[in-house]
Amino acid sequence: MVITTAALVAQDTTRPPDSTPAPPPPPPVVAAPPPAPEPTIEQIRYQEGLRTATRGVAQIRDGLNRVARTQQADSLTRRRAARRLGGLCGSARSFIVSGRPKMQATAYTDSLGVLAKRLTVRLDSLSRALPTCEKTAGREPATVTTDLTKKLQAYDDALLAFRNALKPDSTKEVSQQ
């Protein structure tokens, strides 16, 4: 019994050569970018106001889509869609009017402040067109639709620029390393 134990101990101390390649070294550790600063109270209010106003803009889009979908339908259906657009313009205006006072462009600084101001100007322009939409959409849906579509496009461009500026730019972080 002593001989077998000694033989096993001898076998344990000798290792066969390793035929597997060594594992690759771990990738270099890249420092995480610093966390974005917490938004100020004014910036939070601006975002809340924008969220409320965006609900109104969605109603305008719904009305415009209804009118566009009914262009090939009978006159009664087109008239109903145009009247519906007028009603949606009224409810959209209430959302925009309640959200817009919270949107103070001074909440942001530098270029973001300029973009926030541009967004509020576009929203104000859209809001000023809504009373006309309410009154005339049932009679002249083509004119109202054309006007609102232009104003919505300007608003969308300003909103896209503002939201893109809010996002942290990952390409700057990569190029700075």
Side-chain angles (χ1 to χ4, degrees):
M1 192 167 236
V2 176
I3 297 174
T4 11
T5 311
L8 287 174
V9 171
Q11 288 177 356
D12 286 343
T13 58
T14 60
R15 268 181 60 188
D18 220 1
S19 62
T20 60
V29 176
V30 177
E38 291 294 317
T40 64
I41 294 172
E42 293 85 16
Q43 292 171 347
I44 292 170
R45 280 182 47 104
Y46 188 95
Q47 292 294 327
E48 289 172 355
L50 179 60
R51 189 176 309 118
T52 303
T54 302
R55 289 177 64 190
V57 172
Q59 289 183 335
I60 296 169
R61 284 187 205 290
D62 181 41
L64 291 173
N65 288 335
R66 286 174 188 268
V67 170
R69 284 192 312 260
T70 60
Q71 289 305 309
Q72 302 301 321
D74 61 295
S75 64
L76 178 63
T77 306
R78 287 195 310 265
R79 199 170 343 161
R80 282 183 186 155
R83 287 182 187 151
R84 178 74 171 186
L85 172 62
L88 287 170
C89 283
S91 61
R93 187 166 53 113
S94 66
F95 278 109
I96 292 172
V97 166
S98 67
R100 173 58 182 90
K102 296 178 184 177
M103 297 173 63
Q104 297 300 318
T106 56
Y108 294 97
T109 57
D110 299 333
S111 62
L112 201 54
V114 172
L115 294 173
K117 177 67 176 171
R118 185 176 298 147
L119 181 59
T120 57
V121 167
R122 300 293 189 238
L123 191 60
D124 290 342
S125 172
L126 185 60
S127 179
R128 281 191 303 272
L130 294 179
T132 305
C133 171
E134 281 182 84
K135 294 174 187 171
T136 61
R139 293 188 312 264
E140 302 171 17
T143 307
V144 170
T145 303
T146 303
D147 184 44
L148 284 179
T149 302
K150 288 179 194 174
K151 292 185 184 307
L152 272 177
Q153 183 60 45
Y155 168 80
D156 286 341
D157 293 343
L159 180 63
L160 182 65
F162 177 74
R163 286 193 173 153
N164 284 339
L166 278 179
K167 292 180 187 173
D169 192 7
S170 59
T171 58
K172 287 183 182 176
E173 294 169 5
V174 172
S175 65
Q176 290 175 354
Q177 295 175 357

